[in-house]
Every structure is written in structure tokens, then in C-alpha cells.
Amino acid sequence: MTNKKQETIQGYLFLTPALTIFLIFTIISILFIFFLSFTKYNTLNGKMTFIGIDNYLNLFKDGRFHIALFNTFKYVIIVVPIQTLLSLLIALALNAKIKFPVVFRTVFFLPTLTSSAALTIIFMFLFSINGPINGTLMNLNIIKEPISFLTDARVALNVIMVMNIWSTIPMYSTIYIAGLQDISKEVYEAAAIDGATGIKQFLHIIIPIMTPITLFIFLTGLIGCFQIFDQAYIFSNGTGGPANSTLTVTLLIYQYAFTTSGTMGYAASIAVMLSLIIFLFSMITRRWQSQGGIE
């Protein structure tokens, strides 16, 4: 056996553990979920009945699925653009000449090291009826009576939006900062000689150069927002309340899969539908960028 063949075999042997895990927990799992979506499966007695596309047809009749889909789309449409834009603006501020930049950026990045569960509990305290937010607003005479942020269906989802934006901006800003520091000073100097300063440099230098990073952050935020679960679960104690205002698609999947008997197959069909939606939006975003939509 030649050395080249030995190296090839050794390479595949080193890859075997990772490939095995990927095959079992990714490929086989995806195929099983897809198969499960065509069945009525009761996890209590293990009874599985093939029902074809009935689960997918029931999605059009399920009012709670429509509400969850609306809430999720609303969440995505508001959170993703705001967190992307604010991340870039904050990165520009942090990339400017400030004292102790490394220390400041480290402190700024610390919230991302906290679990989303802990952040949710903290925000629930901040926005509680007797919490600091209500207290501050009343002290400033902005409101007369405390707002029930946690139990008011009109604002409950907004609290989760604010929390997600606040918790994701540090990480995305750090990515932007790394990109901004790769821009050569000569580029700015050449632009200044040509009369481009301030806003013109931002529009014609920073934004075009940051396009790949913006696309990455936009897609990452898009996928993450479509998959929001833990914040909504903790916030509503798993119910999606108040009045289904925080019910998201992933939370609905959890409810049908683990809190309702005999609907595991239906939950799988919702999961497949969510995957298709994420894939579709990802492809649209990439095509938009390739055609010059993000410059």
C-alpha cells in the first residue's frame, strides 16, 4: 500500500466520528422528521398511522398556526433590519478613536456571554409592573399609571423584540468592527482627496465594502429570529400568551409535539414548513445581494 493511500485512509478514519454524528443527528433526523410529517404519531402508545398530506392541509385551517406565523413574521421584519443597522452604527462609533478601546469593546461584548434564559428573566424583571422601566417612565411623567408590559397583548411581543435587539447587537457589532479595521486608511485618504467625507464615505466606501458582512449578519439574524423559542417560552411560561401575542412558530411546534397527545406528526409538518420558509427567505436574500440589492 502506497503512502498516498495510507494517508487517504487515515484521513477518512479521522473524519469518521464527525461524519457519523452528522449522519445520525442531522441527515437521518431530517429525513425522519420529513417522514413523520406524513403520519399521525402518538408518542404515548407509539402508534403511527400514515395519513399522507393531511397534516399540511390542516395548516391552512389552523388558526393558531396563522397567529404564530404572523407573530414570527412581525418579529423578523422588525428585529432583523433594526439589529443590523444599529450594529453597524455602533461598530462605527466603537471603531473611532476612543480611550481604552479593547477594554470598552470587551465590556460591550459581555452581554452575549449570558444565556438567553437569564437575559429573559432579567428583562421580565425590568419590564414588570413594579420594575425599573415603569418606575423611570412614571418619574419622568411620561406615563401616569404603570404599564403591564408582561400581560398586555399589545406590547408583550415588543418587549421580546427589544430584548433580542439588545442582546444581539454586541456580537454583530464586534463582527462589523473586525471588518471596519480591515479597511485601509489609504482608502479614506484617497476618498478625502476626491472630496468624499462623512456621509459620502459611509455610503460609497463603508457600505459597499461591508456588503459580505452585512449579508452574513442579515442571514444569521433572519434565521435566528425565525427560530425564536426560548425567550417566548420563558416569557409566557410556554403558553404563548397573553392572548397568543407571543406565540411563535417554534413554540407552537413544541406545544403540538410535547404538550398535546397524538400531534407529533402535525408538529413535524410545521417544522418542515418553517424550514422551507427559512430556506426561501435565505435564497431571496442571497439572490437580492447577487443582483446588487445590497451595496
Side-chain angles (χ1 to χ4, degrees):
M1 186 179 294
T2 63
N3 291 334
K4 187 175 182 180
K5 287 184 178 180
Q6 287 180 340
E7 290 176 357
T8 303
I9 293 173
Q10 288 175 353
Y12 281 114
L13 288 175
F14 281 119
L15 287 173
T16 298
L19 290 175
T20 302
I21 293 173
F22 178 76
L23 178 66
I24 295 174
F25 293 100
T26 303
I27 302 300
I28 294 179
S29 298
I30 291 173
L31 294 176
F32 179 70
I33 288 296
F34 185 70
F35 167 75
L36 202 63
S37 68
F38 295 99
T39 67
K40 183 177 181 180
Y41 179 48
N42 192 319
T43 54
L44 296 178
N45 56 25
K47 185 179 179 180
M48 181 183 293
T49 306
F50 185 80
I51 58 174
I53 63 172
D54 286 358
N55 284 329
Y56 292 96
L57 294 176
N58 289 333
L59 291 176
F60 296 98
K61 308 172 187 177
D62 189 350
R64 298 190 75 238
F65 173 70
H66 298 160
I67 293 173
L69 198 61
F70 173 80
N71 290 340
T72 303
F73 269 102
K74 178 182 176 182
Y75 184 87
V76 170
I77 291 170
I78 294 176
V79 171
V80 175
I82 292 177
Q83 71 183 10
T84 303
L85 178 60
L86 288 180
S87 297
L88 176 57
L89 295 178
I90 292 175
L92 289 170
L94 293 177
N95 194 50
K97 294 180 180 179
I98 56 176
K99 294 183 178 180
F100 311 111
V102 177
V103 175
F104 191 83
R105 290 168 191 164
T106 302
V107 173
F108 181 72
F109 189 76
L110 284 177
T112 61
L113 303 179
T114 307
S115 69
S116 59
L119 287 176
T120 304
I121 293 172
I122 291 172
F123 265 76
M124 288 178 68
F125 163 72
L126 293 176
F127 283 91
S128 62
I129 196 74
N130 297 316
I133 300 297
N134 269 317
T136 301
L137 293 176
M138 292 180 68
N139 289 334
L140 295 175
N141 292 322
I142 297 176
I143 58 175
K144 301 275 186 193
E145 299 289 334
I147 301 173
S148 183
F149 291 102
L150 306 184
T151 58
D152 190 339
R154 296 170 297 178
V155 297
L157 186 62
N158 296 335
V159 175
I160 300 179
M161 290 180 186
V162 171
M163 176 182 62
N164 188 280
I165 293 171
W166 179 83
S167 63
T168 54
I169 281 178
M171 180 181 68
Y172 292 147
S173 294
T174 303
I175 297 173
Y176 267 127
I177 289 172
L180 289 171
Q181 292 181 342
D182 283 339
I183 302 177
S184 174
K185 292 182 180 179
E186 286 76 11
V187 175
Y188 293 111
E189 292 173 356
I193 293 173
D194 291 336
T197 57
I199 296 178
K200 289 185 178 180
Q201 288 188 358
F202 176 76
L203 295 176
H204 300 291
I205 296 178
I206 294 176
I207 290 183
I209 293 177
M210 290 292 104
T211 295
I213 295 178
T214 299
L215 178 63
F216 169 77
I217 290 175
F218 191 87
L219 283 176
T220 304
L222 188 77
I223 295 170
C225 287
F226 268 119
Q227 295 178 328
I228 175 177
F229 170 75
D230 45 357
Q231 297 98 327
Y233 178 87
I234 296 171
F235 191 91
S236 65
N237 197 25
T239 65
N244 290 328
S245 61
T246 60
L247 181 65
T248 62
V249 175
T250 50
L251 181 56
L252 186 66
I253 292 171
Y254 167 83
Q255 291 179 351
Y256 278 126
F258 301 109
T259 65
T260 306
S261 177
T263 54
M264 178 65 78
Y266 185 61
S269 68
I270 300 176
V272 172
M273 188 62 65
L274 178 62
S275 300
L276 291 175
I277 291 172
I278 293 174
F279 176 78
L280 178 63
F281 273 83
S282 299
M283 291 301 100
I284 291 174
T285 304
R286 288 181 61 87
R287 185 173 180 81
W288 178 42
Q289 187 271 336
S290 64
Q291 293 180 347
I294 303 176
E295 295 182 351

